[in-house]
Amino acid sequence: MIILGVNETTHDASVSLIEDNIILFAGHAERYSKIKNDWFVNDKLISDALKYGKPDLIAYYEKPLLKKSRILISGGLGGEPPRFMNHPDLKGVPVKNFSHHYSHAAAGYYTSRFDDAVIVVLDAIGEWNTSSIWVGVGDKIQSVYKKNYPFSFGLFYSAFTQLLGLKPNEEEYILMGMASYGKPGKYYSQVNEYFSSISSQKYNFHKGIIDWQGEITPLNKHDIASAVQKVYEDRLYEFMEFAKKKTGKQNLVFMGGCALNATANTRLWEQFSDVWVMPNPGDAGSSLGAAAAAYGKHLNWTTPYLGYDIGQARYPAEAALNAILEDGIAPVVYGRAEYGPRALGNRSIFGDPRDPEIKSKVNKIKKREQFRPFAPVVLEEYASDWFEMPATSPYMQYTVKCKKPNLIPSVVHIDGTSRVQTVNRRQHPGLHKLLTLFYKETGIPVLLNTSLNIKGQPLLNDEHDILEWEKAYGQKVIK
């Protein structure tokens, strides 16, 4: 059976297509519409997915009527209805709805290697659920705990994102980067009190934090961000201890938008024997989750490279190496686009990590704040020599201490940490070759890796995007 999973009417709409346990396609609406965090799917995206097969069933990631009830009760006006059925090739295909948090849980568990695990879902809000705990045994997923709006880990973090002048539901990762520049002590109690009373009138879903005491200035923003991150990590640790005690499970599947906080994720290895965070744990991953929920069994997860296919027989390792050695950076496009928010080698800018000026140079190209850090990609076989790794990290999901920061300064944050991507030959032969070539030339098995995109726009997706990037930055994309 071919199943089309759909997520829309929330930030970062997406679709996924599976045939039995095989993932045929998974892509983001924004990459096709060129609208950052697009809420709705579009004909280009759906048509691309349908090249891999016409679905017998459409699985939708949430229950619209239940969601609408929460929006109306919380004082909202409701939004536009889904658009996916407007595509002519989907007329008459039956639709099955799954709850928002169940779609998250299914996306994580059914792509994991576990047949016995606790599944924790934490996000801003689904229909009503904001925090939920599930148990996965064999191919069955069962709910064991849930907490509803207005309590929410995700809304807590997004509210402070907004308070600090950033865009909620989009720039939480900037707050996470800011946190390392501050000290949490001065504001920890105030922020923690806010978390404790999140169900009170301290927070309004449509207005954010409405009673913050004190002025927000450039001088204290980093300290507040640091307090927010510390409170989130401490409360996450408590919640995970609760989940572990309640279920008795040693394997963890962590899903929802909160699972994108790489700094906090690292602490999970202190609590569990094994951890799986699907590389697209936020709402965009729920299109695959809905499809998996409809299938009801584990999927054959092998790769995150599931989107638009730009072709090319060989990864341009040699050309990229030459560009890095000559110019310090190499923008690379290859094959199928990544499914998830992070560039993992197929839509990436690579840089020489040895040069401390490269960080500034790439931030200038991308028109980002100069404090923003960049991630290293490292040969898996040498990862533990360079970083304090709790496990392999093929999807940039953990932030760890760098052991040799003086040798690779452009990929080490101010606090001495790095959000690491590990690569082995099976996972990505071409990227592994590029790293191997660089290692042979320099003795460094590490490169800077960041997303290849125009400021304010999604990751490059197709040939049109390449031309636009080259026009904007005057630099040739290597492909």
Side-chain angles (χ1 to χ4, degrees):
M1 173 181 270
I2 297 179
I3 303 169
L4 180 73
V6 178
N7 154 51
E8 63 173 335
T9 73
T10 187
H11 53 89
D12 210 354
S14 69
V15 304
S16 301
L17 192 73
I18 66 173
E19 183 171 14
D20 299 326
N21 71 331
I22 304 300
I23 305 169
L24 302 174
F25 176 90
H28 298 249
E30 66 173 17
R31 313 267 177 89
Y32 291 79
S33 67
K34 319 306 178 188
I35 300 171
K36 185 71 175 171
N37 293 325
D38 199 344
W39 285 48
F40 296 94
V41 301
N42 51 72
D43 284 350
K44 287 183 179 179
L45 169 63
I46 294 175
S47 294
D48 203 8
L50 297 186
K51 291 176 183 176
Y52 296 86
K54 183 170 181 179
D56 304 295
L57 175 71
I58 297 171
Y60 193 65
Y61 83 114
E62 68 178 9
K63 297 189 175 181
L65 290 179
L66 191 59
K67 179 179 179 178
K68 191 170 185 178
S69 72
R70 187 260 304 160
I71 292 172
L72 293 173
I73 289 172
S74 65
L77 299 175
E80 296 181 48
R83 300 176 184 174
F84 64 92
M85 288 306 296
N86 293 338
H87 194 283
D89 292 334
L90 298 182
K91 300 295 184 184
V93 180
V95 179
K96 187 172 183 179
N97 295 328
F98 296 90
S99 74
H100 187 109
H101 269 226
Y102 184 69
S103 293
H104 274 313
Y109 183 64
Y110 288 136
T111 58
S112 78
R113 55 190 172 275
F114 306 139
D115 59 8
D116 185 42
V118 56
I119 309 158
V120 173
V121 178
L122 299 176
D123 62 3
I125 193 167
E127 297 93 350
W128 282 96
N129 297 162
T130 58
S131 309
S132 61
I133 301 172
W134 313 72
V135 168
V137 177
D139 284 325
K140 300 296 183 184
I141 297 174
Q142 181 178 356
S143 172
V144 296
Y145 174 87
K146 61 185 176 182
K147 191 91 171 174
N148 288 344
Y149 170 82
F151 176 86
S152 170
F153 279 84
L155 289 179
F156 160 78
Y157 209 91
S158 292
F160 276 97
T161 299
Q162 182 179 17
L163 183 73
L164 295 179
L166 302 170
K167 189 173 181 180
N169 291 326
E170 183 173 331
E171 295 184 331
E172 282 77 5
Y173 66 96
I174 299 180
L175 188 155
M176 186 171 63
M178 288 171 59
S180 295
Y181 286 85
K183 302 290 185 184
K186 184 176 179 180
Y187 293 99
Y188 183 90
S189 295
Q190 187 177 357
V191 172
N192 193 46
E193 180 185 353
Y194 172 79
F195 188 102
S196 300
S197 56
I198 198 167
S199 297
S200 73
Q201 296 304 309
K202 285 181 175 289
Y203 175 79
N204 179 282
F205 187 82
H206 305 288
K207 297 178 182 178
I209 296 174
I210 57 179
D211 72 339
W212 178 257
Q213 301 298 312
E215 190 179 1
I216 307 295
T217 72
L219 295 178
N220 69 9
K221 274 187 176 183
H222 292 164
D223 289 338
I224 296 171
S226 185
V228 172
Q229 179 65 26
K230 183 68 166 63
V231 169
Y232 170 78
E233 288 182 25
D234 290 348
R235 291 306 185 97
L236 176 67
Y237 195 93
E238 291 174 0
F239 193 84
M240 291 297 181
E241 284 295 294
F242 169 68
K244 184 177 178 181
K245 184 175 180 180
K246 187 172 185 65
T247 64
K249 303 299 183 185
Q250 293 296 318
N251 297 324
L252 170 68
V253 174
F254 185 27
M255 291 294 293
C258 291
L260 288 166
N261 192 311
T263 303
N265 287 354
T266 308
R267 294 192 65 187
L268 302 176
W269 289 96
E270 302 170 17
Q271 298 172 279
F272 295 91
S273 299
D274 206 349
V275 178
W276 170 249
V277 181
M278 197 265 268
N280 201 2
D283 281 357
S286 291
S287 63
L288 183 59
Y295 180 61
K297 299 177 184 178
H298 278 74
L299 302 177
N300 182 28
W301 176 269
T302 58
T303 178
Y305 309 104
L306 296 163
Y308 180 84
D309 190 355
I310 208 161
Q312 303 160 238
R314 292 176 66 247
Y315 196 79
E318 291 86 357
L321 173 71
N322 291 335
I324 294 166
L325 294 177
E326 291 174 13
D327 198 29
I329 65 170
V332 173
V333 168
Y334 170 79
R336 297 186 71 171
E338 294 89 338
Y339 181 53
R342 290 165 183 153
L344 300 172
N346 282 9
R347 304 291 189 274
S348 289
I349 298 175
F350 297 111
D352 189 335
R354 302 170 299 169
D355 183 353
E357 297 302 317
I358 287 296
K359 177 174 177 281
S360 177
K361 181 177 181 179
V362 179
N363 267 327
K364 188 175 180 180
I365 290 173
K366 298 187 69 172
K367 299 179 182 178
R368 306 190 331 168
E369 301 88 346
Q370 283 300 314
F371 74 83
R372 300 268 295 278
F374 288 109
V377 55
V378 58
L379 288 169
E380 184 181 295
E381 54 266 41
Y382 298 107
S384 61
D385 296 333
W386 289 78
F387 304 97
E388 295 179 5
M389 302 294 298
T392 58
S393 178
Y395 311 121
M396 289 187 189
Q397 290 162 321
Y398 308 106
T399 300
V400 298
K401 284 287 184 182
C402 179
K403 293 181 177 180
K404 304 175 183 180
N406 59 314
L407 295 181
I408 49 173
S410 70
V411 293
V412 182
H413 202 23
I414 191 171
D415 61 357
T417 65
S418 302
R419 191 186 70 196
V420 179
Q421 177 192 0
T422 57
V423 176
N424 60 42
R425 186 176 284 106
R426 177 187 53 80
Q427 169 195 337
H428 197 312
L431 181 52
H432 187 274
K433 181 178 180 180
L434 170 58
L435 285 160
T436 300
L437 291 173
F438 187 76
Y439 177 54
K440 289 178 179 177
E441 286 283 340
T442 66
I444 307 289
V446 180
L447 286 171
L448 179 151
N449 179 17
T450 188
S451 57
L452 179 58
N453 65 294
I454 294 173
K455 171 71 173 175
Q457 294 188 18
L459 280 176
L460 267 61
N461 194 50
D462 51 32
E463 294 81 359
H464 171 269
D465 295 342
I466 293 174
L467 294 175
E468 290 298 307
W469 197 90
E470 292 177 341
K471 189 188 304 180
Y473 297 113
Q475 187 168 25
K476 194 76 174 173
V477 172
I478 299 168
K479 60 185 193 300

